[in-house]
Amino acid sequence: MDDKKPDSSAPDIDSHQGTVPRHVAIIMDGNNRWARRRGLPGAEGHRAGERTLQKVIRRAARHGVEVVTLFAFSSENWRRPQDEVNHLMGLFVNALGQRVDQLHDNRVRLRFIGDRSAFDPALRDGMAEAEARTAGNDRMTVVVAVNYGGQWDLAQAAASLAREARDGGLDPDRIDTAALDQRVSTADLPPLDLLIRTGGEQRLSNFLLWQAAYAELYFTPALWPDFDGDELDAALADYAGRQRRFGRSGEQLDADGEAEC
């Protein structure tokens, strides 16, 4: 029987500990419901959601969160009514024009993940320009997932490994979870610590499926436009009160903590 080495992708427990998550992801759900409850068109909900986003980014930066990843437009969102899709694209373009300067001035790096091929060339160019302009910023990274799906992310990672193996640069028998981890869209970022979903639903909706394997999940009934700084504070406080075990028992972690004292 061949000796099997330990899985090199097993999470590094010590690097994931801390009361403030390094990497927070948010599924921003509830814009349309927020607008309907107020007798407003859905577009007003998305505008209110964009204002909320700015508040949340500022509050996260104050807490010392290193990365915030936002589910802005999923690969399934193309199925929505065309006028809503058009409005979302318009908001996206306007946000690129209006917010990149603000992010840059605050030393925030902007990244985009997802399949950009479906977008207008001008929008793709705008994303690339925003990334290039903010690439050297080091206060926080904001990752915007557009035309993104967790299954797509895994498929493109697997395809990348398959191409390298086909070309002779990789032994297929050496492909493991660590190799796949280096090919997903967030490979250069800290592991995901906390995933927040607003709007009351309790599912991942094809968002960061690989990355969420050991993340803490936080679901709130607050609709996204109502998710203000205090709501983020509550999510971070809840995270700080959890014991992250990564497969170990609570007794093991308690013993390790006592040994370090």
Side-chain angles (χ1 to χ4, degrees):
M1 181 182 295
D2 294 336
D3 291 335
K4 251 189 105 70
K5 65 180 181 178
D7 185 353
S8 59
S9 73
D12 180 349
I13 295 174
D14 291 335
S15 71
H16 289 63
Q17 298 301 324
T19 57
V20 176
R22 296 179 65 196
H23 186 172
V24 176
I26 307 176
I27 300 174
M28 304 175 292
D29 193 15
N31 289 341
N32 282 328
R33 281 175 285 159
W34 183 91
R36 284 199 303 270
R37 290 177 184 180
R38 288 160 176 76
L40 300 171
E44 293 304 316
H46 293 302
R47 291 193 185 96
E50 201 273 334
R51 292 191 294 270
T52 292
L53 175 57
Q54 306 312 312
K55 298 174 185 176
V56 167
I57 290 174
R58 287 195 295 269
R59 185 67 66 95
R62 291 194 199 108
H63 280 288
V65 175
E66 296 177 28
V67 180
V68 175
T69 298
L70 306 160
F71 205 9
F73 191 84
S74 77
S75 51
E76 289 78 26
N77 283 155
W78 295 107
R79 302 171 185 168
R80 293 192 175 191
Q82 189 59 49
D83 59 344
E84 182 178 354
V85 171
N86 291 341
H87 178 74
L88 287 170
M89 291 299 102
L91 272 180
F92 193 25
V93 171
N94 290 337
L96 276 177
Q98 298 173 9
R99 301 298 184 184
V100 172
D101 288 345
Q102 181 182 3
L103 292 172
H104 184 58
D105 290 343
N106 285 281
R107 306 196 330 270
V108 175
R109 180 171 68 127
L110 188 60
R111 280 269 315 277
F112 298 94
I113 58 173
D115 182 4
R116 306 186 195 187
S117 64
F119 294 121
D120 182 272
L123 184 53
R124 295 200 300 268
D125 290 345
M127 287 188 277
E129 290 168 5
E131 288 178 319
R133 184 175 183 201
T134 62
N137 295 335
D138 58 4
R139 184 184 182 193
M140 171 190 273
T141 297
V142 172
V143 182
V144 183
V146 288
N147 197 24
Y148 175 88
Q151 293 173 333
W152 166 87
D153 203 358
L154 287 168
Q156 66 84 29
S160 175
L161 290 169
R163 285 191 295 269
E164 186 172 348
R166 178 198 62 197
D167 296 339
L170 177 66
D171 179 357
D173 291 333
R174 303 297 296 175
I175 296 176
D176 57 12
T177 52
L180 193 63
D181 194 54
Q182 291 303 308
R183 303 302 176 104
V184 294
S185 298
T186 58
D188 62 324
L189 300 171
L192 180 62
D193 294 314
L194 173 65
L195 191 151
I196 299 168
R197 178 169 188 150
T198 65
E201 303 293 350
Q202 298 187 24
R203 57 178 177 267
L204 297 182
S205 293
N206 198 21
F207 184 46
L208 298 180
L209 300 180
W210 177 268
Q211 297 86 339
Y214 278 95
E216 298 296 318
L217 305 181
Y218 181 87
F219 301 106
T220 172
L223 303 178
W224 174 243
D226 295 326
F227 191 86
D228 55 16
D230 291 341
E231 290 280 352
L232 179 63
D233 290 348
L236 297 183
D238 182 86
Y239 172 88
R242 299 189 188 186
Q243 185 181 60
R244 307 194 70 200
R245 300 177 183 176
F246 300 102
R248 299 171 75 178
S249 70
E251 290 78 9
Q252 284 177 295
L253 294 180
D254 289 341
D256 287 346
E258 292 171 3
E260 293 170 0
C261 294

